[in-house]
Amino acid sequence: MRKPCCDKKHTNKGAWTKQEDQKLIDYIRTNGEGGWRTLPEHAGLHRCGKSCRLRWINYLSPDIKRGNFAEDEEDLIVKLHALLGNRWSLIAGRLPGRTDNEVKNYWNSHIRRKLINMGIDPNNHRLNQVQTPLLYNHPHQNEKHNQLSPRIKTSSGTRSKMIEEPNVCDDHQQEVSDAASSSINEDDETLLCSSSEPNLDLTIGFSPSSSILEAKQQTKPPELNLNVEVDQGERSPALILFL
DNA sequence: AATTGCTACAACCGCCTGAAC
DNA sequence: CGTTCAGGCGGTTGTAGCAAT
């Protein structure tokens, strides 16, 4: 049985107060990041170290770019999700100033729904063949009670479990291979499932066979600009996504 | 004006990984 | 080589605020 990361009896939970934020900011400004487990005690905070870390990384850090996601950021998230699956930290790493939590929330609350409304399965980025009425839910329809809800109860998967899912490894691998990047680095590459002949070219465009391209051509959604470019021999300038 | 339903997002939880010992 | 610990990650939950009725 794993020890709890902190004594929960003596730690605050829930929303952070301005005073707590200030204490955390002051402490990190003087001492730098790290040592999260002992930080609360040193900073005079009655919080779990993990909570402090999360608060700093997701909200207080000066590196964070807050505000709405730009259209190009949204496009990039879609493409990176097609390539990487739910590896939010990797995706966020390609979006300067964005955190994994922010990207994850944005995906679940905005992008996921857009894809669903376009008839695209957000899990594998495939165009759904059978358009069930559920796929055309009005945005205001109660999604808590259908399978498409962002809050859908899933088996609480972990990273390693997720990697084993077909989402990335089987169908998904095929699906995204067209969009994969040749400039992908080793770390990222190892995260992708190996295939006998991986095509990891991650140009901005999807190949004509891409389901998303098909979706765009068929449904022409007005909102989600996927900025699809067809690869025609001479590659369009590749986004350096994997630095 | 009150109630209900829904969305967005901050925060928490449990698990995994890698380093240190 | 096994154990412990800190840090990190993704999934999930709680709730404030807004919209609809």
Side-chain angles (χ1 to χ4, degrees), chain A residues 169-184:
Chain A
C169 293
D170 299 327
D171 293 346
H172 192 63
Q173 171 67 34
Q174 275 192 328
E175 199 58 32
V176 304
S177 63
D178 290 333
S181 170
S182 59
S183 61
I184 194 166

Side-chain angles (χ1 to χ4, degrees), chain A residues 6-150:
Chain A
C6 53
D7 181 3
K8 292 181 180 180
K9 283 181 191 167
H10 301 103
T11 53
N12 294 340
K13 287 179 75 174
W16 280 63
T17 64
K18 284 189 177 177
Q19 288 82 2
E20 286 178 313
D21 280 348
Q22 200 52 53
K23 279 184 182 177
L24 183 56
I25 291 168
D26 290 344
Y27 181 85
I28 291 178
R29 275 188 186 152
T30 338
N31 302 283
E33 293 181 42
W36 296 109
R37 195 159 290 229
T38 54
L39 183 149
E41 189 184 346
H42 294 147
L45 286 161
H46 299 289
R47 288 277 180 176
C48 171
K50 280 177 127 182
S51 179
C52 294
R53 177 184 156 272
L54 219 60
R55 181 65 177 170
W56 175 257
I57 288 173
N58 287 328
Y59 203 83
L60 299 175
S61 169
D63 299 331
I64 292 173
K65 175 168 74 178
R66 302 202 66 79
N68 293 338
F69 280 72
E71 229 174 89
D72 56 339
E73 286 180 305
E74 192 171 306
D75 292 347
L76 196 50
I77 292 170
V78 172
K79 287 160 187 168
L80 287 169
H81 187 271
L83 180 68
L84 300 167
N86 289 1
R87 271 161 287 186
W88 304 115
S89 62
L90 274 178
I91 294 172
R94 314 301 171 196
L95 292 156
R98 301 296 187 184
T99 68
D100 54 355
N101 208 36
E102 204 178 1
V103 171
K104 179 172 60 182
N105 282 332
Y106 191 70
W107 173 269
N108 285 327
S109 58
H110 292 86
I111 301 175
R112 187 182 154 87
R113 187 169 300 117
K114 277 189 184 179
L115 292 179
I116 289 168
N117 286 337
M118 289 163 61
I120 296 169
D121 184 341
N123 294 318
N124 59 19
H125 294 253
R126 280 179 184 273
L127 187 64
N128 284 308
Q129 297 299 314
V130 181
Q131 305 284 6
T132 69
L134 277 173
L135 297 175
Y136 292 104
N137 280 342
H138 186 276
H140 290 141
Q141 189 168 339
N142 183 357
E143 291 189 326
K144 283 180 181 174
H145 304 301
N146 72 41
Q147 57 179 331
L148 300 173
S149 168

